[in-house]
């Protein structure tokens, strides 16, 4: 049987370890990951290995050569021009695969029983068998659900946190029959998980999942790399060690000298030809490569030191990675989770702070304290993008230097000479961040259409008229006044896709930004008539004559954060009377208590001036809360149902798009008007995409996120919503209070439970496995539906926090209360059990 070793990866998230080394050649216990994989294959009588190479192919080929020194026969297939993807590169060598073969990733550490997996494959007469395992946090991997026979029912490649429906994941090891390659096109980039396996599933080909027992770690980032090293040292995974065990838990190579006064705790590894000086302290968990010199009185607390490093007298290394040939001079300190790239020098008494990365061949001056990555910018994060754009503490996480780099990273994913629109809210901190983003974009040869301070609905409307490749909007976060939110839009004004986010993250983390020559630096232009373009689009979708005849009076509260001040002018043009409150920009942050006080004030003003209704506008023109003529606030689920009622009355048989957790009052409203409800994942981008993609959509969104009118622009717009409300109330001859009184009576409650990241996937799998499949919806989280009265419970993992949100919906208040209580108890009990199990492990 042959094996295909997928060894093409560049190890982007292992930078700076992989700048001059392909990921499969990164050492674990002083031997390349690929060598451990080949040892595993050999143990299971697989001795013919074809390695597919792309990034730095000569490194792996020179190490293994024909494979004879390792007891196998090695051949190589090199992707010369561009990577063909996991499946494409295997398709490229289809003529070498004439019988059942195994595909294994070159960047994971495992001791799975491959023989048992192959036997399972043959017993099931499977065309493709995925070797699966269970992990505490499946967000980084492809999640898979199988039935009791192992037949794959569903999988999702690298889900967001709210999409997790199992903790059973794809390990990147497959047993395949050669005929499955016939489904793949020639010389085309394709992926097993995204392209081939969904196709096999759609064609009803036998495709199975084998849940393997044993150890597996995808060495995909630096934390996982250190974890795999420590696990291997503690024998949690069965790997061959190249050295002799001289005493329990201590392995020492040949021709190594250790001063008698040195103290070594187990477990530890010291390679061949090392020199360990007097009084050196080596704590348990330390791994030292070959040809390493450690000076007198050095203190090593669980570092991973690669071959050829020189560590000076009294140096302090703490749970860090010191790459090949690096020199750490006398009394230097390298602290927890820091990484120093190969052939670098850390000067005397210098200090590298925790988690800082130093790229290869760099020099840190004596006495320097390094708090940021040596290349450029701040300490890298695992992910830049959250559920909604890039966000973080203002002027701390989202600092000017961060924004410059982010702008350059985004611009580097676009063609030189591309144009990008940039806009912001009126806050000074947003102006600062925007200018830094502009500098980064200009530095990579991108031209700017600067819309300056404007409401985000105006930005989304104008973008398609500018011919730009995309847009950026910077504002204070709608839900956290101390946070900045940076949203990226495509040329249509819709938030960019996950794939585009990954490209920007890749450029950011790889430091892979181009540098424009001086004559190529981007230019900045200020488009004219931006507000006029919005107003024109705004007017086209309204019955202006109706508005003029309405003589409506509306009170608008801007909550000291002016956004879309164009609205009063528009309403005045239409003959409506707009009373504006709190329209100045207040530099102090607005907390929830203050906003509630202003909402009460708004209700009093509406009553006093006998207005048709009041509205509190927030989120830079996206969100709103209504106050009816009696001063009663309309928000949340009531606002969602009210807007659906108004729009479907005006557009019978229309469609509305709402998030998965919205109340079933929307369905009841839709049934009145022969309308259709489309539910999406609980994130703004999903609502935008569904509102644009589906025909006949008259409204998207919810009271929580705001409302989309897809014929105007793809985003949320409270300004248009207000004008549209006036129009509909006039035409339908209704008041806000009367519409509210006619809404369905649905009980909809929520509760939030703490849930560690490590338990989320297991919780979702538990819920899927303990409920009948016909009662489940897996749009987002796990929704358990009862076959009567719109009764359901939704368990939805939070995308940003270690939380799970529970929603219960019914016309029966007791059912809602009982269900919430019951599922709260189930979730808490499960989480406690998982934490106890995790602690034991």
């Amino acid at each position: 049987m042959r094996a295909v070793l997928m060894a093409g990866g560049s190890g982007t998230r292992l930078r700076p370890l992989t700048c001059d080394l392909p990921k499969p050649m990164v050492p674990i216990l002083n031997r390349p990951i690929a060598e451990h994989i080949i040892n595993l294959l050999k143990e299971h009588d697989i001795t013919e290995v074809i390695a597919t190479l792309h990034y730095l192919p000569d490194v792996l080929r020179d190490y293994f050569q024909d494979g004879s020194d390792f007891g196998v026969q090695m051949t190589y297939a090199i992707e010369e021009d561009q990577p063909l993807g996991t499946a494409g590169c295997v398709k490229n060598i289809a003529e070498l695969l004439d019988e059942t073969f195994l595909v294994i990733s070159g960047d994971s550490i495992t001791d799975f029983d491959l023989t048992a997996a192959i036997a399972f494959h043959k017993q099931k007469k499977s065309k493709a068998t995925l070797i699966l395992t269970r992990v505490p946090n499946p967000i980084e991997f492809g999640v898979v659900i199988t039935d009791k026979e192992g037949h794959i029912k569903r999988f999702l490649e690298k889900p967001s946190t709210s999409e997790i429906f199992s903790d059973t994941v794809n390990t990147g090891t497959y047993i395949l029959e050669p005929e499955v390659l016939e489904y793949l096109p020639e010389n085309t980039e394709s992926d097993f998980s995204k392209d081939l396996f969904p196709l096999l599933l759609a064609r009803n080909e036998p495709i199975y999942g084998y849940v393997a027992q044993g150890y597996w770690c995808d060495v995909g980032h630096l934390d996982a790399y250190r974890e795999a090293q420590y696990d291997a040292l503690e024998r949690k995974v069965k790997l061959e060690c190249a050295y002799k065990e001289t005493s329990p838990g201590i392995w020492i190579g040949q021709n190594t000298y250790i001063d008698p006064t040195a103290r070594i705790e187990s477990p530890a590894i010291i390679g061949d030809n090392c020199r360990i000086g007097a009084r050196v302290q080596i704590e348990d968990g330390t791994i030292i490569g070959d040809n390493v010199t450690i000076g007198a009185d050095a203190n090593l607390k669980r570092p991973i030191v690669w071959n050829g490093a020189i560590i000076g007298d009294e140096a302090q290394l703490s749970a860090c990675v010191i790459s090949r040939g690096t020199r750490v001079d006398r009394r230097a300190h390298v602290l927890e989770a820091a990484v120093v790239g190969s052939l670098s020098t850390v000067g005397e008494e210098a200090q590298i702070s925790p988690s800082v990365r130093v790229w290869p061949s760099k020099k840190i001056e004596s006495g320097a304290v390094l708090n940021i990555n040596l290349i450029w910018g701040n300490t890298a994060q695992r992910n830049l993008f959250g559920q909604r754009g890039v966000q973080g503490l203002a002027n701390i996480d989202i600092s000017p230097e961060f924004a410059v780099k982010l702008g350059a990273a985004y611009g580097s994913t676009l063609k030189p000479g591309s144009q990008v629109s940039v806009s912001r809210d009126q806050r000074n901190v947003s102006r600062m961040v925007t200018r830094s983003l502009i500098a980064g974009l200009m530095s990579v040869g991108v031209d700017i259409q600067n819309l300056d301070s404007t409401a985000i609905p105006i930005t989304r409307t104008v973008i398609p008229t500018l011919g730009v490749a995309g847009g950026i909007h910077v504002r204070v976060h709608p839900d956290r006044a101390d946070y900045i939110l940076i949203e990226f839009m495509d040329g249509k004004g819709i938030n960019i896709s996950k794939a585009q986010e990954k490209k920007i993250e890749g450029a950011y983390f790889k430091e892979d930004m181009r540098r424009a020559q001086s004559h190529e630096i981007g230019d900045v232009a200020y488009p004219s008539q931006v507000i006029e373009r919005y107003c024109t689009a705004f007017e086209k979708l309204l019955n202006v004559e109706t508005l003029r005849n309405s003589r409506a009076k509306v009170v608008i509260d801007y909550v000291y954060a002016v956004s879309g001040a164009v609205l009063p002018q528009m309403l005045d043009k239409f003959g409506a009377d707009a009373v504006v409150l709190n329209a100045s920009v207040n530099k102090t942050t607005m907390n929830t208590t203050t906003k509630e006080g202003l909402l009460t004030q708004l209700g009093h003003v509406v009553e006093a001036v006998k207005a048709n209704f009041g509205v509190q506008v927030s989120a830079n023109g996206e969100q709103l809360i209504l106050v009816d003529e009696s001063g009663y606030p309309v928000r949340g689920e009531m606002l969602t149902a009210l807007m659906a009622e108004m729009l479907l009355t005006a557009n019978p048989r229309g469609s509305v798009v709402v998030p998965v957790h919205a109340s079933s009052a929307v369905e009841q409203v839709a049934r009145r008007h022969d309308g259709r409800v489309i539910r999406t994942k609980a994130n703004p981008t999903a609502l935008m995409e569904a509102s644009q993609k589906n025909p006949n959509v008259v409204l998207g969104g919810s009271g929580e996120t705001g409302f989309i009118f897809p014929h105007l622009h793809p985003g949320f717009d409270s300004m248009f919503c207000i004008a549209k409300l006036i129009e509909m109330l006039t035409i339908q001859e209704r008041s806000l209070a009367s519409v509210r009184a006619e809404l369905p009576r649905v009980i909809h409650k929520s509760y939030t439970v703490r849930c560690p990241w490590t338990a989320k996937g297991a919780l979702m799998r538990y819920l899927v496995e303990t409920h009948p499949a016909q009662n489940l919806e897996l749009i987002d989280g796990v929704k358990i539906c009862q076959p009567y009265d719109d009764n359901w419970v939704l368990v939805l993992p939070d995308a940003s926090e270690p939380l799970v949100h529970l929603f219960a919906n019914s016309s029966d208040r007791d059912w809602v209360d009982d269900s919430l209580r019951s599922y709260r108890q189930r979730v808490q009990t499960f989480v406690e059990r998982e934490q106890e199990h995790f602690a034991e492990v």
Side-chain angles (χ1 to χ4, degrees):
M1 186 173 183
R2 291 188 179 93
V4 179
L5 175 63
M6 310 286 290
S10 60
T12 300
R13 293 171 68 187
L14 280 174
R15 304 285 193 194
L17 301 181
T18 55
C19 291
D20 53 359
L21 201 64
K23 187 156 59 164
M25 295 304 292
V26 169
I28 299 282
L29 301 189
N30 297 343
R31 294 294 177 265
I33 294 172
E35 185 173 339
H36 294 298
I37 293 170
I38 285 170
N39 287 339
L40 177 68
L41 294 173
K42 189 171 60 175
E43 180 186 336
H44 292 278
D45 298 322
I46 302 171
T47 56
E48 292 184 55
V49 181
I50 305 166
T52 62
L53 310 175
H54 177 68
Y55 178 69
L56 301 176
D58 290 342
V59 177
L60 188 139
R61 190 165 49 182
D62 290 348
Y63 185 87
F64 290 103
Q65 298 188 29
D66 65 0
S68 57
D69 290 345
F70 301 88
V72 296
Q73 177 187 323
M74 293 282 293
T75 53
Y76 304 93
I78 299 176
E79 301 168 67
E80 297 285 1
D81 301 321
Q82 63 177 30
L84 292 171
T86 58
C89 66
V90 176
K91 171 70 173 179
N92 212 28
I93 55 170
E95 69 278 2
L96 302 176
L97 304 168
D98 53 3
E99 60 181 4
T100 306
F101 63 96
L102 181 136
V103 175
I104 189 164
S105 169
D107 52 13
S108 58
I109 289 294
T110 182
D111 55 12
F112 286 159
D113 186 345
L114 301 181
T115 302
I118 293 164
F120 173 89
H121 172 85
K122 291 181 176 176
Q123 176 207 336
K124 297 292 183 182
K125 297 181 180 176
S126 176
K127 289 292 177 65
T129 297
L130 287 67
I131 297 184
L132 312 175
T133 192
R134 290 187 174 133
V135 297
N137 185 7
I139 190 171
E140 295 290 328
F141 312 109
V143 175
V144 181
I145 282 184
T146 63
D147 63 17
K148 292 178 181 177
E149 298 299 316
H151 195 275
I152 289 176
K153 291 297 184 186
R154 188 175 180 205
F155 52 84
L156 179 65
E157 183 66 12
K158 295 187 179 178
S160 67
T161 47
S162 62
E163 294 173 318
I164 296 167
F165 51 75
S166 175
D167 61 348
T168 307
V169 302
N170 178 4
T171 66
T173 302
Y174 316 121
I175 304 158
L176 305 173
E177 296 302 319
E179 54 263 35
V180 300
L181 299 180
E182 294 171 10
Y183 285 100
L184 295 170
E186 301 272 359
N187 299 315
T188 303
E189 184 175 354
S190 57
D191 183 88
F192 282 119
S193 296
K194 294 176 185 172
D195 302 312
L196 179 60
F197 297 150
L199 187 57
L200 294 178
L201 214 53
R203 299 287 176 87
N204 290 319
E205 293 281 16
I207 174 170
Y208 284 82
Y210 174 78
V211 181
Q213 302 301 312
Y215 181 92
W216 176 77
C217 179
D218 173 30
V219 188
H221 51 83
L222 292 167
D223 289 343
Y225 174 68
R226 287 193 306 275
E227 180 185 341
Q229 293 270 18
Y230 298 143
D231 287 347
L233 195 57
E234 293 167 10
R235 305 187 194 184
K236 292 181 181 178
V237 55
K238 293 178 283 187
L239 298 183
E240 287 185 22
C241 183
Y243 313 112
K244 181 181 178 182
E245 190 171 7
T246 57
S247 60
I250 296 177
W251 292 264
I252 298 175
Q254 297 178 352
N255 195 31
T256 283
Y257 170 79
I258 300 173
D259 188 278
T261 59
R263 186 171 66 84
I264 305 171
E265 295 179 357
S266 66
I269 283 182
I270 302 172
D272 297 332
N273 307 310
C274 293
R275 297 292 178 266
I276 310 297
R279 298 173 301 282
V280 169
Q281 304 285 317
I282 297 176
E283 293 193 7
D284 60 289
T286 297
I287 299 168
I288 298 171
D290 298 336
N291 308 306
V292 172
T293 300
I294 311 287
D297 298 297
N299 193 337
L300 278 61
K301 299 177 179 177
R302 295 170 62 85
I304 299 162
V305 182
W306 288 16
N307 295 354
I310 300 171
I311 310 300
D313 296 351
E314 301 179 58
Q316 306 268 337
L317 307 180
S318 300
C320 56
V321 180
I322 306 296
S323 302
R324 172 179 55 87
T326 287
R327 195 179 86 215
V328 179
D329 287 344
R330 179 174 174 270
R331 291 184 179 171
H333 288 217
V334 184
L335 302 180
E336 291 81 2
V339 178
V340 184
S342 60
L343 305 175
S344 293
T345 301
V346 182
E348 285 192 17
E349 300 189 11
Q351 177 176 302
I352 300 178
S353 296
S355 300
V356 168
R357 304 178 189 185
V358 178
W359 258 242
S361 303
K362 298 293 175 264
K363 182 181 174 82
I364 298 164
E365 298 294 332
S366 298
V369 176
L370 189 65
N371 292 317
I372 61 172
N373 294 347
L374 189 52
I375 288 288
W376 184 35
N378 243 322
T379 303
Q381 307 164 12
R382 182 175 295 184
N383 293 308
L384 289 178
F385 287 84
Q387 187 170 12
R388 185 175 192 168
V390 177
Q391 55 186 280
L393 283 165
N395 210 24
I396 296 174
D397 299 321
I398 309 296
S399 62
E401 54 270 33
F402 170 84
V404 169
K405 182 178 172 184
L406 179 62
Y410 172 46
S412 295
T413 67
L414 307 174
K415 293 177 181 177
S418 295
Q419 293 190 77
V420 168
S421 81
V422 178
S423 57
R424 59 175 176 84
D425 67 11
Q426 292 89 346
R427 303 287 185 182
N428 283 342
V429 67
S430 302
R431 178 190 287 118
M432 175 192 76
V433 171
T434 301
R435 288 179 175 177
S436 300
L437 283 163
I438 288 172
L441 287 160
M442 292 173 67
S443 75
V444 296
V446 170
D447 294 330
I448 311 300
Q449 294 287 330
N450 192 346
L451 306 182
D452 220 337
S453 64
T454 188
I456 192 168
I458 296 175
T459 293
R460 292 191 195 276
T461 304
V462 170
I463 278 178
T465 72
L466 297 174
V468 293
I472 305 176
H473 187 81
V474 181
R475 56 175 160 155
V476 172
H477 197 289
D479 304 321
R480 287 201 59 173
D482 56 344
Y483 264 51
I484 286 288
L485 173 62
I486 305 173
E487 289 180 274
F488 291 77
M489 293 162 258
D490 64 16
K492 297 177 182 176
I494 301 174
N495 284 18
I496 61 173
S497 66
K498 290 290 180 191
Q500 289 171 295
E501 290 178 357
K502 293 295 182 191
K503 284 185 180 178
I504 297 169
E505 286 181 344
Y508 182 95
F509 289 123
K510 284 190 290 186
E511 311 276 352
D512 189 13
M513 275 76 80
R514 64 175 177 261
R515 276 280 174 265
Q517 298 182 41
S518 59
H519 65 279
E520 298 171 330
I521 298 295
D523 196 8
V524 181
Y526 294 85
S528 60
Q529 298 186 314
V530 169
I531 292 176
E532 288 80 356
R533 294 186 212 192
Y534 175 72
C535 293
T536 301
F538 193 107
E539 282 186 60
K540 282 181 180 176
L541 296 176
L542 292 169
N543 187 325
V544 176
E545 198 58 40
T546 298
L547 285 169
R548 288 204 176 99
N549 293 334
S550 72
R551 310 307 302 172
K553 180 180 282 187
V554 182
V555 184
I556 304 171
D557 179 8
Y558 282 123
V559 201
Y560 299 111
V562 173
S563 51
V566 63
L567 180 62
Q569 300 164 25
M570 292 287 291
L571 293 179
D572 183 58
K573 181 180 177 181
F574 299 147
D577 184 7
V579 178
V580 176
L581 306 178
N582 308 319
S584 62
V585 177
N586 192 330
K587 293 182 181 178
T588 60
T589 58
M590 299 295 296
N591 57 39
T592 304
T593 305
T594 309
K595 284 186 177 180
E596 288 300 315
L598 293 176
L599 191 63
T600 303
Q601 177 197 73
L602 174 62
H604 294 326
V605 174
V606 168
E607 285 187 280
V609 302
K610 295 183 169 52
N612 296 80
F613 63 89
V615 58
Q616 188 179 84
V617 177
S618 60
N620 198 220
E622 282 193 333
Q623 296 172 15
L624 76 165
I625 297 174
L626 296 178
V627 171
D628 71 16
E629 63 269 31
S630 65
Y632 188 90
V634 181
R635 62 173 117 187
E637 299 303 323
M638 184 188 296
L639 179 56
T640 308
L642 182 141
M643 289 301 299
E645 166 65 28
M646 297 293 292
L647 265 296
L648 289 174
T649 300
N651 302 274
R653 294 180 295 282
S655 297
V656 293
V657 175
V658 295
V660 65
H661 55 76
S663 153
S664 67
V666 182
E667 274 86 3
Q668 294 188 34
V669 166
R671 286 195 283 269
R672 293 177 182 174
H673 304 283
D674 199 19
R676 177 185 174 215
V677 176
I678 301 165
R679 290 193 176 249
T680 73
K681 298 182 191 304
N683 68 70
T685 304
L687 288 164
M688 290 184 215
E689 290 174 344
S691 298
Q692 290 293 316
K693 182 175 67 175
N694 290 284
N696 207 26
V697 172
V698 296
L699 181 74
S702 69
E704 184 182 66
T705 56
F707 296 100
I708 298 167
F709 301 86
H711 298 296
L712 176 61
H713 63 78
F716 307 95
D717 194 331
S718 61
M719 298 181 291
F720 184 79
C721 187
I722 294 164
K724 192 69 179 172
L725 266 174
I726 296 172
E727 176 199 284
M728 291 187 296
L729 289 170
T730 303
I731 291 173
Q732 296 171 25
E733 298 181 344
R734 303 162 90 178
S735 69
L736 216 53
S738 67
V739 178
R740 177 170 64 82
E742 294 168 10
L743 295 177
R745 296 289 178 249
V746 174
I747 312 302
H748 182 275
K749 292 185 178 181
S750 63
Y751 189 86
T752 298
V753 181
R754 297 215 49 97
C755 178
W757 294 105
T758 52
K760 283 185 179 179
L763 172 63
M764 296 298 104
R765 176 169 61 88
Y766 160 74
L767 292 169
V768 168
E769 291 177 349
T770 53
H771 291 87
Q774 66 269 23
N775 290 1
L776 297 180
E777 286 182 11
L778 300 175
I779 296 170
D780 206 359
V782 176
K783 195 175 200 178
I784 302 105
C785 305
Q786 303 297 325
Y788 53 85
D789 295 337
D790 288 326
N791 289 11
W792 49 258
V793 172
L794 172 66
V795 183
L796 183 66
D798 191 280
S800 308
E801 301 289 337
L803 304 171
V804 167
H805 304 291
L806 309 179
F807 299 88
N809 180 97
S810 174
S811 57
D812 183 339
R813 185 177 300 275
D814 290 339
W815 189 92
V816 166
D817 291 339
D818 291 345
S819 297
L820 262 188
R821 193 180 307 110
S822 169
Y823 276 88
R824 184 176 98 187
Q825 185 61 45
R826 281 179 84 158
V827 170
Q828 287 175 333
T829 301
F830 183 87
V831 167
E832 287 167 7
R833 191 167 67 239
E834 281 295 299
Q835 287 182 294
E836 288 172 7
H837 172 70
F838 192 68
E840 289 171 7
V841 172

